[in-house]
Amino acid sequence: MEKDKNPKSRNRLKTAGIVLACGLAGVIAVVLGFVLADALILYAYENSGGQPMFYVMERTEPGESMIVPLTEKDFEQHPALAAVIRGEERNPSAWEWGYRDQRVVGGTKVSYAESKALHDAYGPQGERGLYPLTEYEGAYYVILTTWP
């Protein structure tokens, strides 16, 4: 009983509570700082005057590349992909874009978020960083994104 009435015991608990509250507030401040920094960086990119581009190149043969078949879900998730491969942004060039077995079939401007999503889904993969080929209706495509 004497410990409960001891003022030093109450001060230790009060000090421990203050330290714990300050530590928790510090962790929350750091997390919010990272979220704010990420938002500010994305805002700066979006308002820098440049905009990411999305290009699709068609290949005649898949070679030894990994092949990812495109589905309706892919076109629903990425409207730019549907516009370039199926629709209004499709404008195939000649078959001589660097190599005689590939050509650009189209491109369009996309948002930074869409560019990142496309890059994550169809960009370089594996240890060697090779682009997978996507396949749609018997044609093979390489999907590229660029940032200004």
Side-chain angles (χ1 to χ4, degrees), residues 71-83:
T71 64
E72 288 301 316
K73 183 179 177 184
D74 294 317
F75 291 118
E76 289 171 10
Q77 288 178 339
H78 307 290
L81 185 64

Side-chain angles (χ1 to χ4, degrees), residues 2 6-7 18 36 64 66 77 80-81 89 95 98 109-110 112 117 127 134 138 147:
E2 299 233 358
N6 187 354
I18 290 171
L36 179 62
E64 296 179 15
M66 181 176 70
Q77 288 178 339
L81 185 64
E89 298 297 332
W95 280 99
K109 292 181 179 180
V110 292
Y112 280 90
E127 292 175 5
T134 56
W147 283 30

